[in-house]
Amino acid sequence: MDPLLRERLDAFIDLRGLRRTQQRDSIATEVFSKDEHFTAEELFERVRKSTSGISRATVYRTLSLLVEADLLREIDLGEQETTYDPNFHDKPSHNHLVCKDCGKVIEFEDSGIDTLNDCVARRLGFRPLQHSLKIEASCEQLRTKGICPNLIQSRLSGKRLRKRR
Amino acid sequence: MDPLLRERLDAFIDLRGLRRTQQRDSIATEVFSKDEHFTAEELFERVRKSTSGISRATVYRTLSLLVEADLLREIDLGEQETTYDPNFHDKPSHNHLVCKDCGKVIEFEDSGIDTLNDCVARRLGFRPLQHSLKIEASCEQLRTKGICPNLIQSRLSGKRLRKRR
DNA sequence: CTGATTGCAAATGCTTTGCACGCCA
DNA sequence: TGGCGTGCAAAGCATTTGCAATCAG
């Protein structure tokens, strides 16, 4: 876990008069061990493998904690389960593009978007704090060549495609 | 209900071989009778007042139908209940700004944002289909003058503020 | 010590579903 | 008439919570 993240977490814990526990430590470590998005249940499975005896409830409670500390962010990918994104520390204002062909999620940063959001918000009389932008798109290669590299990739990696409501 | 909307709904019903029922009619009429966002439960209450004997299940089923027909859109305002936005027919690519001081939601359109999203998506090798942008912000007037016109307005109208997770 | 934290299981709350009846086409 | 649509209540599911035991500071 990035020392800067650890520091921020420690600061938050001190600020709120909370306590450092083995469970919180294991969970936080697992959360930031990959840059992949995950659900509470997925994280619970990961945590359970590395450390035994951590309950689902504690995973949920710790996730809320990390979100409140602004170290972790809930994002909306259109699923019913809440999805968490651990990459906002590295890329504080990144956006998401979701391919509707394969469900693949691509993160990207764009200073133009940041600037525009800032302007729009101010014009409306507000001070922007943060934004979330999701672009849904179809794969251009799949459309023109009939081949979607992401589709193949997602099949190979066995990822589930997005659920429909 | 806007005749254009009615037409689109009828077309969808025909296309899918569905049936026109009194319940679907009442619910669709209620959905598009205001431009306000709403939850399934809120709509159920509204429908129940205008027409008797419509069940919650039918409200849920009809909402899914309208979403599939792309006449209605689910939006993420950070609540746990799904929020529906009936205004995408009039403003196909509008965005949302949410004031964290009063919870007020402002809809706005911006062609600059549309263009930028389009460019970004194409640069990444995709064909953009739709986007959702939410800007969270604080009220500039509240910050500088200590008065938030929206806050007062929302108090007067008795609107509930946003729930915290 | 003392209050924060945890695990467990029960409870919650939104949404979906199975089934029998009713109604559109 | 043939199914699609509906109402009702039960079920599903993700998430939260009450409580007693445990642990950090």
Side-chain angles (χ1 to χ4, degrees), chain B:
Chain B
M1 183 171 165
D2 183 316
L4 241 65
L5 271 169
R6 174 121 277 150
E7 199 180 307
R8 287 228 280 148
L9 178 53
D10 280 346
F12 182 78
I13 284 179
D14 290 340
L15 179 71
R16 294 268 280 253
L18 306 177
R19 290 172 185 178
R20 263 162 281 271
T21 65
Q22 190 218 121
Q23 288 89 332
R24 283 180 179 160
D25 194 69
S26 299
I27 294 170
T29 300
E30 193 59 49
V31 162
F32 298 108
S33 67
K34 303 181 184 179
D35 61 1
E36 279 174 28
H37 302 153
F38 58 85
T39 64
E41 189 61 29
E42 286 164 358
L43 182 69
F44 175 58
E45 287 305 326
R46 284 166 53 189
V47 167
R48 150 179 280 183
K49 280 174 193 161
S50 62
T51 319
S52 61
I54 292 184
S55 71
R56 207 184 309 265
T58 298
V59 168
Y60 274 100
R61 287 190 271 235
T62 303
L63 283 172
S64 299
L65 201 74
L66 295 174
V67 169
E68 281 192 76
D70 200 35
L71 300 174
L72 182 65
R73 204 108 112 210
E74 298 178 352
I75 59 173
D76 170 44
L77 259 31
E79 313 275 340
Q80 43 288 304
E81 282 175 85
T82 302
T83 303
Y84 294 90
D85 184 335
N87 306 322
F88 279 93
H89 181 251
D90 294 321
K91 305 169 169 183
S93 83
H94 72 259
N95 307 288
H96 296 101
L97 182 147
V98 181
C99 177
K100 83 151 197 0
D101 292 324
C102 63
K104 175 153 187 166
V105 178
I106 293 174
E107 301 198 334
F108 65 91
E109 294 179 283
D110 189 291
S111 61
I113 289 175
D114 293 344
T115 305
L116 213 43
N117 286 343
D118 197 82
C119 293
V120 167
R122 286 173 194 283
R123 199 187 305 149
L124 291 169
F126 294 87
R127 164 165 295 237
L129 300 169
Q130 63 175 231
H131 73 266
S132 59
L133 166 66
K134 177 181 63 171
I135 297 178
E136 287 177 80
S138 58
C139 179
E140 190 65 22
Q141 285 188 49
L142 179 64
R143 205 180 58 81
T144 57
K145 301 178 189 167
I147 296 173
C148 169
N150 298 329
L151 186 56
I152 291 167
Q153 189 183 326
S154 70
R155 273 180 184 161
L156 287 178
S157 66
K159 277 187 189 172
R160 265 175 307 163
L161 303 190
R162 277 211 302 163
K163 297 174 202 165
R164 288 240 186 118
R165 284 243 183 186

Side-chain angles (χ1 to χ4, degrees), chain A residues 76-80 97-105 134-137 154 159-165, chain B residues 129-130:
Chain A
D76 171 44
L77 258 32
E79 313 275 342
Q80 43 290 303
L97 183 147
V98 181
C99 176
K100 82 148 198 4
D101 294 324
C102 63
K104 174 154 187 165
V105 178
K134 176 181 63 173
I135 297 178
E136 287 177 80
S154 71
K159 277 187 189 173
R160 264 177 307 167
L161 302 190
R162 277 212 299 163
K163 298 174 202 166
R164 287 238 186 121
R165 283 242 183 190
Chain B
L129 300 169
Q130 63 175 231

Side-chain angles (χ1 to χ4, degrees), chain A residues 134-148:
Chain A
K134 176 181 63 173
I135 297 178
E136 287 177 80
S138 58
C139 179
E140 189 67 22
Q141 285 189 51
L142 178 64
R143 204 178 60 79
T144 57
K145 302 179 189 167
I147 297 173
C148 169

